[in-house]
Amino acid sequence: MRKSKVQWLAAACLVCLAQPVWAATDSTPVYQDTLDSEGQSYSGELAKASTPENSNIRVVRRGEKAKSTEPSEQLPTRIDANKMAYTGSTGDVYAEGDVVVTQGNQTLLSPRIEGNTKTTEYRTVGGYRYLEDNGKTKDITGQNMTYRTKDRHFTADQAMGWNDPYYVKGSNATFDGQEGHMEKGMVTTKHAMAFKHAPDYRVEGEDIKVYPGDKVVIKNPTFYIKNFKVFSLPSYTKSLRHDKEGKFSIFSLVPKPTYSSDDGFGLHGNTDYPIGKNGEVYIDYRWYTKAGFKPQVGYRHYLPWGTASIGYSKESNEYNDETVWVEKIGEARIDTHSYHIGKSPITVRGGANAGYWKEGSVKGSHKEYYAEVSHDPIKLWSGADLRFLGGYQRDYYGYDKSIRSMPYWGARFNTKIGNRMQAWVSYNQRNITYNNSPYRFDTTELPKELIYGASYKLTRLDDVSVSVKNNIMSGEVDSIYYTWHHDLHSFDLYLTYKDAQKSNNNQWKIKFVGKDF
């Protein structure tokens, strides 16, 4: 009996439809907002939407070879079964009885598989289960599936299961190598999935089409929270152009409940619609009982080396541990990716923006440019990273004709201690000449600050942390933050007490934020 080299690919499951097929670098992509979050003062401080200038900015290396998303003819395939047969003259192959087909990190299980090595078309009989990374990234089941390796075409009568980052279910699934399609589909997330009851939230669509790396189009979608129908639409198009490794949120349009002790109860949602080949219109809405309506609307264009945008927004920041809002009118900005210098670990990035700012009675034009130098995190030991950064920022304020010239530098260190504990230290120094900002929104409160702290996981759902912020110029502790975090399945709850030391500004802060959005 001759063993045939039968090729199988991840496209054997429907959910591959939702995966972008653009080239990725050999290493896992790193985004600027992930690196910057290491400098937070306390857990949950940055539990809000990332700003576009950071969330879409990657750390990249010029000339780096990309991963191929085509079927790999080099990977050997192993077929194990109770009975196997192969006819060399026709190319027919047959395997029956606990069939296990393995190729690389992909495994296909079925009672029976039939196919032909010349047509490269194979089909399962009696159901199938498809695994990738032993089920960590994909675990899909269905009744019957046909797959053709030479052009990546497949059909499946049913597909349901886990495809990172979603749980999916649908029928009559097809993929022709360029476009995916599924009928009567349902999508939810791992945080919302409930195996005994209805998911916390989900979207169902009569017809779902996915154009990898471009957009997903859902016909007659209905958005649910448990079994309560939130709303339905004739059609819903979601851009995949800024998708972080398949981590786009198909639920972003659904109004999510939030709570902040500063802003009150609120609802938050967002969506974006692809325009042309490289652009998209974005809408982000937030409404709070205390702060009111806070929208962000505009146009974003993806460049080979960065992102450009223009729009209107109301954005928040913290000043003296209170939320302050600024209105940005007609702000145009451009930001580059973080590029490695040659083959070195050193990275550089920069950007500029200009618009009209309004914060209460303080209003006028604002222009800024910046440049920053950093490097890949230094691995001191297992679970311990160290990163330095330095840059220059210059702001022009039309309100009072002032100019802020601000060289800055800092360091970030974080480490894991065992399975339950984490610790961090960060230092930030901003060398302001003589002018600070006339806006509280971007005022530098502590030109030289040292932050250190640790967190400890009490249970599977609970952890506590202590973080200390020091004013290096005065040599005193500015404040100490005590935070309790509780995982509420689909949401995160943060309860923080601030001990303001000598300022008598002690306060409690509560944040209630949704995951996956």
Side-chain angles (χ1 to χ4, degrees), residues 47-49 162-167 187-194 199-203 223 236 238 242-243 246-258 268-270 487-492 494 512-517:
K48 56 185 178 181
W162 168 248
N163 181 75
D164 191 17
Y166 293 112
Y167 280 98
V187 182
T188 188
T189 73
K190 64 180 179 180
H191 297 118
M193 187 64 179
D200 291 351
Y201 45 82
R202 68 187 188 277
V203 59
F223 297 84
Y236 176 49
K238 172 70 175 177
H242 61 293
D243 180 19
K247 306 296 184 186
F248 79 98
S249 176
I250 203 170
F251 306 96
S252 61
L253 186 62
V254 180
K256 279 75 64 178
T258 64
H268 171 223
N270 66 81
D487 188 330
L488 293 170
H489 195 206
S490 300
F491 293 84
D492 282 311
Y494 297 92
F512 177 72
V513 293
K515 301 177 182 178
D516 308 313
F517 300 118

Side-chain angles (χ1 to χ4, degrees), residues 6-8 12 77-86 92-102 107-116 121-130 143-147:
V6 182
Q7 302 297 322
W8 292 96
T77 297
R78 172 172 175 160
I79 303 178
D80 293 290
N82 296 334
K83 291 170 40 178
M84 296 179 63
Y86 172 68
D92 290 336
V93 62
Y94 154 83
E96 185 175 22
D98 298 326
V99 183
V100 180
V101 182
T102 305
T107 303
L108 181 66
L109 310 174
S110 179
R112 178 182 175 122
I113 289 178
E114 301 173 353
N116 188 280
E121 184 172 286
Y122 306 93
R123 59 191 173 275
T124 64
V125 179
Y128 70 88
R129 182 183 182 189
Y130 175 80
Q143 284 303 308
N144 297 294
M145 178 270 295
T146 300
Y147 180 66

Side-chain angles (χ1 to χ4, degrees), residues 368-396:
E368 173 198 316
Y369 68 85
Y370 71 94
E372 184 176 290
V373 179
S374 187
H375 59 87
D376 293 337
I378 301 171
K379 303 291 183 180
L380 299 180
W381 57 82
S382 179
D385 293 341
L386 175 65
R387 185 172 73 94
F388 295 94
L389 58 97
Y392 178 79
Q393 178 179 327
R394 192 173 179 88
D395 295 87
Y396 299 83

Side-chain angles (χ1 to χ4, degrees), residues 212-264:
D214 184 27
K215 62 184 177 181
V216 55
V217 181
I218 306 177
K219 183 179 179 182
N220 295 325
T222 302
F223 297 84
Y224 290 90
I225 296 179
K226 284 296 185 180
N227 288 320
F228 174 74
K229 183 168 71 174
V230 181
F231 61 86
S232 298
L233 296 171
S235 180
Y236 176 49
T237 300
K238 172 70 175 177
S239 174
L240 302 181
R241 293 180 178 178
H242 61 293
D243 180 19
K244 295 184 180 180
E245 290 292 281
K247 306 296 184 186
F248 79 98
S249 176
I250 203 170
F251 306 96
S252 61
L253 186 62
V254 180
K256 279 75 64 178
T258 64
Y259 177 77
S260 166
S261 53
D262 287 340
D263 300 321

Side-chain angles (χ1 to χ4, degrees), residues 173-189:
T174 63
F175 185 67
D176 61 8
Q178 299 293 327
E179 176 185 328
H181 173 257
M182 176 173 65
E183 296 178 0
K184 297 179 181 178
M186 184 279 291
V187 182
T188 188
T189 73

Side-chain angles (χ1 to χ4, degrees), residues 79 89 133 187 208 221 224 268 295 347 380 404 420 456 491 496 504:
I79 303 178
S89 59
D133 299 320
V187 182
I208 300 176
Y224 290 90
H268 171 223
T347 61
L380 299 180
R404 180 174 67 175
R420 290 178 175 267
Y456 186 81
F491 293 84
T496 297
N504 295 320

